Amino acid sequence: MAPYLQIIALLEMSLTCAVVLMILLQKLSSTEIPLLIRVLIVLLLGNLFFWPLGMSLELPLSAYVRGVTGELSIVTMLLLWSSILPAAQKTPLGFKVPLAIIAIVFYPLALGLGMFDPYVWGYASIGFLGAVMLFAILCGLAGWTKGVWLVSVAIIAWAAHWHESANLWDYLLDPFLAIWALFAIPSTIYQKRREKAQSGYLFRAG
């Protein structure tokens, strides 16, 4: 891997680890943490993960985390990073369901279950690229502009060879994103039903 790709990978993982810790800190806090404080905490934690701390650690903490998790997709990182912004748009069910279906079909086939391997589409397949762009357009038509940006940035990063991989799938999907979608679907459905039930209770005729 080229040296600059290694630095980019460590920077991305350092920021991602910092954002994950910030999200956990916000969930543990009883009050909303101001945006400026959140940004400062992320920058501080990001530096701790990026620079070698010495002692028995020869590499930065982010390098060890990356060794366990592997390369995260651009979509996963952007979703995480944007979650600390104020009034961040919630990810709609219309994005989670197709993502979960794609993951359920994609990973078994990519791992050798059957004779068909969809992973090869990621190597400069015009049809696959067109399907991904169509999905981004559908996100825009549905009013979820954030989805358009997620897919667009992932395609741009792939075209610019931002990561070591030359496969578009690796910029769009990873196991963590797939697992998140699978678990988020029932949680979102339950939340919607709960809100609907509470709304019906509040506006019930006396």
Side-chain angles (χ1 to χ4, degrees), residues 162-182:
W162 190 255
H163 286 170
E164 182 181 11
S165 174
N167 193 297
L168 181 55
W169 278 111
D170 294 324
Y171 292 79
L172 297 169
L173 183 65
D174 60 66
F176 294 98
L177 186 62
I179 293 171
W180 167 79
L182 289 170

Side-chain angles (χ1 to χ4, degrees), residues 3-126:
Y4 77 91
L5 289 179
Q6 183 69 38
I7 294 174
I8 289 173
L10 291 179
L11 277 172
E12 290 177 344
M13 185 57 69
S14 298
L15 281 175
T16 301
C17 292
V19 169
V20 169
L21 291 178
M22 182 65 249
I23 293 172
L24 294 175
L25 183 61
Q26 178 62 75
K27 289 185 177 297
L28 294 174
S29 176
S30 57
T31 59
E32 182 74 15
I33 301 176
L35 176 61
L36 180 59
I37 302 299
R38 275 180 277 174
V39 172
L40 290 175
I41 292 175
V42 168
L43 291 176
L44 175 61
L45 292 174
N47 272 280
L48 290 177
F49 275 95
F50 181 73
W51 299 106
L53 299 179
M55 299 178 288
S56 59
L57 300 177
E58 298 180 0
L59 299 173
L61 288 173
S62 58
Y64 295 99
V65 176
R66 184 168 174 267
V68 175
T69 63
E71 197 85 79
L72 298 179
S73 68
I74 295 294
V75 174
T76 297
M77 290 189 294
L78 291 180
L79 277 173
L80 279 171
W81 296 352
S82 63
S83 65
I84 67 169
L85 298 176
Q89 282 183 302
K90 290 185 178 180
T91 307
L93 196 62
F95 177 78
K96 297 173 183 175
V97 172
L99 181 62
I101 294 173
I102 290 171
I104 291 172
V105 175
F106 171 75
Y107 279 108
L109 292 175
L111 292 173
L113 183 62
M115 301 297 293
F116 175 68
D117 184 7
Y119 187 73
V120 298
W121 292 350
Y123 292 108
S125 169
I126 300 300

Side-chain angles (χ1 to χ4, degrees), residues 148-165:
V148 179
W149 284 105
L150 290 175
V151 178
S152 300
V153 173
I155 293 175
I156 293 171
W158 167 71
H161 302 289
W162 190 255
H163 286 170
E164 182 181 11
S165 174

Side-chain angles (χ1 to χ4, degrees), residues 184-196:
I185 290 172
S187 176
T188 302
I189 294 174
Y190 170 77
Q191 186 66 30
K192 286 183 178 294
R193 288 183 176 179
R194 184 178 178 182
E195 291 174 357
K196 185 177 180 181

